Amino acid sequence: MIRTTYILIIASLLLFVGCRKDDTAFIPYPSSIDEIDLFLQNTLDETTVNTFSLKGGALVPDTTLVTSGGIRVSLANTDFLFENAQGDLVPLSSCNDIKIQVIAAPDKSAWMANLLPSVNMDGMLIDHTGGVFIKVICDGQEMQLADNRYLKIQVPSSALQNDMTLNYLVINADGGFSGWETGQSNSVFWGEWPGQQAGTTQTGYEILAHKMGWITASKTLSAVSFSKYCVSLPLQFDHENTRVFLSVDGTGAITEMKTQNNPSVFCLDQAPLGYPVRIITITKAGPTYFLGDKETETASDATIRMTPIEKSAAQISAVIKGL
């Protein structure tokens, strides 16, 4: 009787263990993309966002707005500069409350925090001058530039490049970014203007923008050939809880890599080969953050493997700000 009881107990334990083994299916970290995006936004320098208020109710004279970072936005012929969404001309003198928001993304950390892509509409990586976002509000209504009108934007730079072209960021119906489309030709020039300190001058790019929203000047990164380039993470790190970025050394290019068929494999379809790059992954699982940080080089049809490690929010923020 005792032996029979032992046999039954052992059989029950084996059955329990067997069931437990079958039931331990892999469960990825929970969705946290919105939390990651908020974390990235909080890494932004507050001085990158500038809001200007102009006095309406009378003719608004030609004026140049200067941000804390030295970006200059010039408004001319202000009663003929803007129109509403219906295409009706809106003189600034008819507005009682005028707000102009200028957001700067001067470096890779700001580009990353704003989730700006560094790809054109063909998926090719671009080097750029940094991004500028401009929005004009008249009595609570968002304006757009009137036909054949433009804003002159002056962006400081000490390393001017040839062959830069005007680009506007294309926004999807869901609010995401598709890439940068080419704007009007002959709209980007080298320039020099008074610096922020008395008696100084500033060099940079002068951009003639015929649209508002996100604006940049850029050129495509050149290479002998291009190829798909991917990053593979352990299965618990996927597109629901992780963002992966590729930064190209020596350029302004930094862009998010996206998943396709495998939720834990993040790819860039048209990577220029032979460039030194840095891969940054950011994951949030509950209160815990994970960081992947690897320097490597783009290669044909390559998939590199990374295992993010636990880091504090402050440590990850320092990495982002140091890009």
Side-chain angles (χ1 to χ4, degrees), residues 29 231-237 242 244 264 279-283 289-294 304-311:
Y29 292 134
V231 175
S232 178
L233 302 180
L235 293 179
Q236 65 265 42
F237 302 91
T242 301
V244 178
S264 294
I279 307 297
I280 303 289
T281 77
I282 301 172
T283 302
Y289 286 91
F290 294 84
L291 173 72
D293 189 354
K294 183 179 181 66
I304 64 168
R305 299 186 182 279
M306 295 176 62
T307 300
I309 60 176
E310 184 176 336
K311 294 285 186 179

Side-chain angles (χ1 to χ4, degrees), residues 185-200:
S185 59
N186 301 317
S187 296
V188 180
F189 310 92
W190 291 5
E192 185 176 276
W193 54 87
Q196 291 183 286
Q197 302 298 322
T200 65

Side-chain angles (χ1 to χ4, degrees), residues 104-143:
D107 52 32
K108 287 184 176 180
S109 60
W111 204 266
M112 183 177 181
N114 284 292
L115 295 177
L116 299 175
S118 285
V119 294
N120 60 24
M121 294 302 291
D122 294 323
M124 311 295 285
L125 277 171
I126 59 171
D127 193 5
H128 52 78
T129 60
V132 181
F133 176 86
I134 300 176
K135 181 167 67 174
V136 175
I137 302 293
C138 164
D139 296 334
Q141 185 179 19
E142 186 171 349
M143 297 289 102

Side-chain angles (χ1 to χ4, degrees), residues 27-81:
I27 300 176
Y29 292 134
S31 178
S32 57
I33 285 296
D34 290 343
E35 296 174 74
I36 294 173
D37 293 350
L38 180 60
F39 169 78
L40 290 173
Q41 284 288 318
N42 288 335
T43 67
L44 282 170
D45 186 337
E46 292 181 357
T47 62
T48 61
V49 180
N50 292 257
T51 301
F52 302 88
S53 297
L54 301 181
K55 184 178 180 180
L59 180 65
V60 178
D62 293 356
T63 187
T64 297
L65 310 173
V66 184
T67 72
S68 54
I71 293 174
R72 297 159 61 95
V73 179
S74 297
L75 312 178
N77 298 317
T78 58
D79 268 2
F80 303 94
L81 191 55

